[in-house]
Amino acid sequence: MRNIKYVFAALLCLSGIAGTMAQVDVTPIYLKNAGFDTSYDYPIDAIGNVAQEMLDVDGWTNDYSVAYTIVGTYQIGTKKTFNGASVPATNVDGTSEGGVLALSTGWNESIKLYQEVTLPKGDYSLVTAYYNGSSATAATSLVGWVPSSGTGVMSEMKSFPANQWVVDTLSLKLIIRKTGKVQVGMTGVDGGSSNSAKLSIDYVKILSYNWDGSIFEDAVKKAVRLYDDGTDNGAAALKLAIDAANVVLNDSTATPDEQVAATAAINEAMDVFNTLQNAYKTLRKAIDKAVSTLGDDAGIGVAALQAAIAKAEAVYANVEATSEELLAETTAINDALSVYKKVLSARNTFLKTLDEVIVLAEGTTGTGLADLQIAIAEAQQTANNMDATADELAAATATLKEAAFVYQLANGTGTAPEVITHGYVARGSTMALGRSTVNGVSTSNLLEQGFCWSTSPNPTVLDNRSSKYHTQNGQIYLMENLEPSTIYYVRAYAISKSYAVGYGEVVKVITLPAGKVIWSYDNGADAAANARINAAVEDAVYYMNTWTSINGLHANVHYGSGTPTADCSYGGWMRVGPNASYQRTGTILHELGHAIGVGTHSVWNGGSTPMREGSGSGYWTGERATAAVRFFDNSTTSRLNGDGTHMWPYGVNGAHEDTGSAMLYISNAAIYQALGEDGLPPTGGFCTPAYVFEQEDTIKYYIKSEHQNYGLYTSYLVQNEKGHLVWQTLTASEALANENAAWYITFNPVNCYYQLRNAATGAYMTYAATGANGIRTAAKAEAGANENFHLMRSRIDVKIGSGNDAMNVRGYWIIHPENKSNPATLVAASNGAVSTASFNLGNNVAIQRWLLLSGDEVTQFEGAYLGTDIEDPVMDEAPKCVHVYNITGVCVRENATTLEGLPAGIYIVGGRKVLIP
């Protein structure tokens, strides 16, 4: 220990200032910025209004979780308003200097700020001055003394007159020395902030009724001990403060206010001195750590750290350095050390990789060797760059590894693995998941397997690839860092240890637009529960926005002290109770299921809903959700089940089902997306548009009504000379030869709607109005809002023919996008016309659905319809004196004696079906 030298005799002579005093303002000793007179957020010349802003207040610690309305420091007289409230033109004492603390909130929320102090025993008052700049007068003051233990003292003010100053005084008696918080703040009343007073606080004062100068004496003694022999850096400034305090100490006429001011000054001087000593020690420790870490290294990245050490040593040797300069240099050398460590790690990886690739290239003559040698030469140049950064080294390592990988693939040997890409790929906005099967090679001989992808067809492992996987009923491979609303082509791959690569089938995947679910939480619980609930809601919304395209949902979360678990209404009003096991991601995802209609919408639980096999309970009939469940279950028979409230599997129906698994949460959210695509409206409007008809932009499609009475077997949708849509009787060959019956169908990944353009005219199918010809064609350079159509796939097969020629197809609703449950839908009308009808989700509305067939499917459809008893024509032995009909029943030749000259097609001749090729 250092010797304590009492070098100031005045410390021994205090009798002149002892004795009990009446009332002394001791605020400067205990509180910083007690008058809110520093670091104004808005000075006097500021204008405008602040609607919502929670700012830090110099010297004060925030103790609130509410994240809205107003906290800030405003200069007296500023024209800047907060939440519409005015700041007073003068202080409570009529002066116009300094500032105020501005507070505004509502909805019974609380704003608290505090400073921790230790007060000697005695009698005190806390005095606060408030100004209410609003016409609303109700609010609860949170000014008070909150001890670390025991009972505190709080203000009882609950009303504040408009546009007036009010002074509030609290009495406090401490029978022992006590540590606690001096607190300021307010609680708003029920309803929005407009219902509550909007407060400007001029100051918080601590008044003592027991001042006897001993605190001043103790502060000076402490400063003398701290000064010691005066050899430490910064001691001269502390000596000046001690000398100034000594003057007051020796003045028998010094007032208590002067003693308080001197106490505050010497306390501040000691704080500055201690801060400076700590800054020197911290910098020394950082320098020593950097020197020790560097050792005798002479490789890449050393020069930068050596320079940082030299600069830090210079600052440390400067006896006049400020604490700010010392701390800045500590930060600089720590940053330099961190950079060096990153460079060192990247350097080691790079040099190891370089050695391995050099060994790979030595003594070989394989395909692509020259390219590999070039990559080695470029890497060696990087190895000679002593100033290379960690990023440059990492990039060089990646380039070198890629060059080696290309070389090894080019010279792979042995039999490539047999790879099967499972047909269903789960897609989100920035990720996708796939399953695969690998045959023909043992697991021990596999180097790597996973998925590769590209925005061009036929991706390879040299494009993008990932071998990351989740385990859930087998391995599910993860593709990440994808772009939303983008067309990708993906396929599984496997590479043997001899670098023979096998690929599975290519699957076209269109990523979702990112979801736009938003959330808020009222933070009505204790701090620990609030932290859990906030984290859980944030996490759940992340999964929703990554794995669904739901837009317009606000999860409005509240704490429910009487809620046993959690609950949520359709639309997103949610409560989470005090049970910590339900304050988790899985619970919030489960409740978000209710928010989008699971158990809360008639499409889910209505007694006559076509989406359930049962009266509101049973298996879900939508094929999008069925496909998702089978993918996650790795099953060909699994189905989504449910009752009037819950769904399973992956419903997280209770805390016991929340495993914390990312795949559980992904499965849950992906099924929600599929439910929306099947027909469950997630936000009160219509169901979710998606890529449900797998089209190609360059293929011509042919459209026919699903209804038997409106041309299912005989007709196709064409554009006539008026631009109207009509269903016209055509054979397959006639339809394929008629460009007016052909349509190009495109898909917009951004809004997930389809566009249909006539092959003959280039005119788009467009929505004009409800009723007859309400959907027609229009000549436009590009599709606009009225040319967007929501295609929704039927849940039932249309079965054509029997036996080997049988064909099963699905129809599609062609829907004008509207934010309501019954948007206008294209339907066939009598006499070849079309019209619109209100959308009906039922299975029995074939008149609302249309078959979308490729050219090959058109021919297959006609063959299936006519059956298998087609005979080869005998050109010179046609039945005598019979009529010849095409498949639509139109007589094309009367009293025929020959079939010569008829176009290719299928005909009815004497009751027999005859094919003319």
Side-chain angles (χ1 to χ4, degrees):
M1 294 180 60
R2 297 182 301 177
N3 292 325
I4 304 301
K5 300 180 180 180
Y6 292 90
V7 296
F8 304 110
L11 292 176
L12 304 178
C13 303
L14 298 173
S15 58
I17 62 172
T20 301
M21 311 301 292
Q23 174 181 292
V24 179
D25 184 353
V26 295
T27 309
I29 297 176
Y30 298 107
L31 299 180
K32 295 180 180 179
N33 193 27
F36 310 105
D37 298 330
T38 62
S39 304
Y40 302 128
D41 298 310
Y42 296 101
I44 195 166
D45 56 353
I47 58 175
N49 179 62
V50 179
Q52 179 172 311
E53 191 174 57
M54 311 292 282
L55 301 176
D56 291 333
V57 180
D58 186 32
W60 295 82
T61 301
N62 298 338
D63 186 21
Y64 52 81
S65 54
V66 61
Y68 55 87
T69 54
I70 307 296
V71 175
T73 307
Y74 293 61
Q75 190 172 8
I76 283 289
T78 181
K79 299 301 181 184
K80 192 78 172 183
T81 57
F82 62 97
N83 214 5
S86 300
V87 172
T90 60
N91 293 307
V92 65
D93 61 0
T95 61
S96 57
E97 301 296 326
V100 293
L101 170 64
L103 301 176
S104 173
T105 192
W107 301 107
N108 294 307
E109 294 289 356
S110 296
I111 298 174
K112 295 180 286 186
L113 303 97
Y114 70 88
Q115 293 187 42
E116 190 170 279
V117 301
T118 299
L119 296 175
K121 70 176 182 178
D123 297 322
Y124 298 90
S125 290
L126 288 182
V127 184
T128 311
Y130 311 86
Y131 179 91
N132 177 20
S134 165
S135 59
T137 59
T140 298
S141 170
L142 294 180
V143 170
W145 163 254
V146 183
S148 56
S149 61
T151 304
V153 177
M154 299 300 298
S155 171
E156 297 180 356
M157 292 197 67
K158 297 183 181 297
S159 180
F160 302 83
N163 303 312
Q164 293 183 35
W165 280 108
V166 177
V167 176
D168 184 22
T169 301
L170 305 179
S171 296
L172 172 65
K173 184 178 184 65
L174 298 180
I175 59 175
I176 60 172
R177 179 183 176 89
K178 196 75 170 178
T179 297
K181 297 175 182 177
V182 173
Q183 177 178 282
V184 297
M186 66 169 286
T187 298
V189 298
D190 193 24
S193 58
S194 60
N195 297 335
S196 298
K198 298 172 179 61
L199 302 181
S200 295
I201 298 180
D202 187 13
Y203 55 73
V204 180
K205 292 182 179 180
I206 304 175
L207 304 182
S208 171
Y209 296 91
N210 305 94
W211 180 262
D212 61 4
S214 60
I215 294 174
F216 181 28
E217 174 190 359
D218 291 342
V220 177
K221 288 180 178 179
K222 184 177 179 180
V224 170
R225 290 193 297 270
L226 190 62
Y227 178 79
D228 194 30
D229 59 5
T231 57
D232 289 334
N233 293 343
L238 180 59
K239 174 65 163 56
L240 291 175
I242 293 172
D243 289 344
N246 186 47
V247 172
V248 177
L249 200 60
N250 281 307
D251 184 357
S252 60
T253 64
T255 66
D257 288 341
E258 289 172 330
Q259 296 164 16
V260 168
T263 304
I266 202 165
N267 284 342
E268 182 177 358
M270 285 190 286
D271 287 343
V272 170
F273 181 78
N274 283 325
T275 299
L276 184 66
Q277 302 313 306
N278 290 334
Y280 272 107
K281 292 176 182 177
T282 301
L283 178 56
R284 182 71 263 164
K285 184 177 179 180
I287 293 171
D288 292 344
K289 182 178 180 180
V291 171
S292 174
T293 303
L294 183 60
D296 58 358
D297 189 6
I300 298 172
V302 166
L305 183 56
Q306 289 174 331
I309 291 172
K311 185 172 181 294
E313 289 282 17
V315 173
Y316 182 81
N318 179 12
V319 296
E320 296 182 355
T322 65
S323 58
E324 289 79 9
E325 290 170 336
L326 294 163
L327 292 175
E329 198 57 39
T330 301
T331 299
I333 196 168
N334 284 336
D335 288 346
L337 180 58
S338 177
V339 169
Y340 168 75
K341 288 180 177 179
K342 291 178 181 178
V343 170
L344 183 61
S345 176
R347 183 181 81 193
N348 291 339
T349 301
F350 168 67
L351 293 177
K352 180 182 178 182
T353 302
L354 178 57
D355 289 342
E356 291 171 349
V357 176
I358 290 173
V359 171
L360 174 67
E362 287 178 344
T364 64
T365 57
T367 302
L369 178 60
D371 291 336
L372 182 60
Q373 290 172 332
I374 291 173
I376 291 172
E378 291 174 349
Q380 288 172 330
Q381 290 179 354
T382 301
N384 293 326
N385 178 11
M386 303 304 289
D387 295 322
T389 66
D391 288 343
E392 290 170 339
L393 291 166
T397 302
T399 299
L400 196 56
K401 285 182 176 180
E402 184 70 8
F405 185 62
V406 170
Y407 178 74
Q408 289 167 310
L409 288 181
N411 296 279
T413 60
T415 302
E418 297 175 2
V419 181
I420 299 172
T421 306
H422 292 200
Y424 183 93
V425 174
R427 84 286 190 234
S429 57
T430 59
M431 301 182 195
L433 298 168
R435 290 187 185 269
S436 65
T437 300
V438 177
N439 299 316
V441 62
S442 65
T443 302
S444 61
N445 286 325
L446 271 181
L447 177 70
E448 179 180 305
Q449 69 183 99
F451 269 72
C452 59
W453 65 94
S454 173
T455 55
S456 299
N458 300 315
T460 74
V461 292
L462 298 180
D463 294 311
N464 303 284
R465 78 181 194 276
S466 172
S467 57
K468 295 181 181 179
Y469 63 87
H470 294 283
T471 300
Q472 179 170 285
N473 303 311
Q475 293 178 345
I476 301 178
Y477 289 94
L478 173 65
M479 292 161 272
E480 54 190 342
N481 300 318
L482 308 180
E483 291 295 324
S485 302
T486 302
I487 300 172
Y488 288 97
Y489 299 89
V490 313
R491 59 177 169 176
Y493 74 88
I495 306 172
S496 71
K497 289 185 176 179
S498 60
Y499 287 90
V501 59
Y503 293 102
E505 301 79 3
V506 174
V507 177
K508 181 180 178 181
V509 175
I510 302 180
T511 52
L512 299 175
K516 295 181 180 179
V517 179
I518 61 174
W519 66 281
S520 60
Y521 170 53
D522 65 5
N523 288 288
D526 58 68
N530 285 340
R532 287 192 296 269
I533 295 170
N534 275 294
V537 178
E538 181 178 19
D539 200 34
V541 169
Y542 160 77
Y543 283 103
M544 293 291 284
N545 286 337
T546 301
W547 291 97
T548 83
S549 59
I550 294 173
N551 185 0
L553 175 64
H554 177 194
N556 191 355
V557 185
H558 303 266
Y559 179 71
S561 59
T563 305
T565 56
D567 54 35
C568 187
S569 65
Y570 182 66
W573 201 92
M574 187 187 306
R575 293 183 302 185
V576 181
N579 189 330
S581 62
Y582 286 89
Q583 297 166 353
R584 300 179 62 194
T585 300
T587 293
I588 304 302
L589 280 170
H590 171 91
E591 300 306 332
L592 288 173
H594 296 320
I596 65 167
V598 175
T600 55
H601 194 282
S602 60
V603 170
W604 177 270
N605 57 19
S608 59
T609 176
M611 302 308 301
R612 302 293 292 277
E613 291 183 351
S615 299
S617 63
Y619 287 116
W620 180 260
T621 62
E623 65 175 16
R624 306 289 287 184
T626 298
V629 169
R630 290 178 178 178
F631 171 79
F632 291 115
D633 267 4
N634 198 15
S635 164
T636 58
T637 58
S638 293
R639 298 182 67 184
L640 184 69
N641 208 337
D643 53 26
T645 305
H646 302 122
M647 74 174 198
W648 58 87
Y650 308 111
V652 201
N653 303 305
H656 63 287
E657 293 187 11
D658 189 353
T659 64
S661 161
M663 273 309 306
L664 172 64
Y665 302 154
I666 291 170
S667 304
N668 176 277
I671 291 170
Y672 290 162
Q673 172 70 17
L675 289 171
E677 295 170 6
D678 278 334
L680 185 67
T683 56
F686 196 58
C687 52
T688 306
Y691 185 64
V692 297
F693 173 64
E694 297 183 3
Q695 50 67 243
E696 294 296 336
D697 292 355
T698 58
I699 291 180
K700 296 175 183 176
Y701 295 92
Y702 300 84
I703 305 174
K704 55 169 58 240
S705 172
E706 186 182 307
H707 200 289
Q708 294 186 31
N709 296 338
Y710 294 90
L712 169 62
Y713 301 117
T714 61
S715 302
Y716 292 86
L717 193 68
V718 303
Q719 175 190 341
N720 69 12
E721 64 280 358
K722 294 181 179 180
H724 292 169
L725 301 176
V726 295
W727 48 279
Q728 180 178 326
T729 301
L730 295 169
T731 65
S733 58
E734 289 170 341
L736 295 174
N738 185 349
E739 290 287 85
N740 284 294
W743 300 87
Y744 291 108
I745 302 178
T746 54
F747 179 77
N748 184 340
V750 175
N751 59 27
C752 296
Y753 294 129
Y754 289 83
Q755 303 77 41
L756 298 91
R757 182 169 55 87
N758 189 261
T761 66
Y764 283 95
M765 195 177 292
T766 187
Y767 173 80
T770 57
N773 297 314
I775 296 178
R776 59 188 73 171
T777 62
K780 293 191 174 182
E782 58 183 35
N786 285 335
E787 288 70 58
N788 288 325
F789 288 93
H790 182 159
L791 295 189
M792 189 170 174
R793 183 174 163 89
S794 171
R795 297 174 296 279
I796 56 175
D797 287 333
V798 177
K799 299 181 179 180
I800 310 298
S802 61
N804 293 333
D805 295 324
M807 180 181 186
N808 290 341
V809 291
R810 289 285 181 95
Y812 291 83
W813 283 273
I814 301 177
I815 307 160
H816 171 58
E818 297 177 80
N819 189 33
K820 58 183 183 180
S821 61
N822 58 344
T825 303
L826 181 67
V827 298
S830 59
N831 300 319
V834 301
S835 185
T836 64
S838 294
F839 172 81
N840 186 322
L841 187 58
N843 292 330
N844 60 348
V845 285
I847 195 172
Q848 292 194 358
R849 296 191 292 267
W850 302 82
L851 306 184
L852 310 177
L853 306 177
S854 67
D856 290 341
E857 289 171 329
V858 166
T859 301
Q860 182 185 356
F861 183 97
E862 186 169 273
Y865 162 57
L866 291 174
T868 58
D869 57 342
I870 298 176
E871 299 182 5
D872 292 332
V874 181
M875 296 299 187
D876 55 353
E877 294 183 5
K880 306 300 182 182
C881 300
V882 296
H883 296 331
V884 180
Y885 299 89
N886 66 18
I887 64 167
T888 65
V890 176
C891 181
V892 296
R893 184 170 293 180
E894 295 182 355
N895 298 318
T897 59
T898 178
L899 301 181
E900 254 185 83
L902 289 175
I906 299 173
Y907 297 88
I908 309 299
V909 182
R912 295 180 300 163
K913 297 172 186 174
V914 177
L915 173 65
I916 298 180

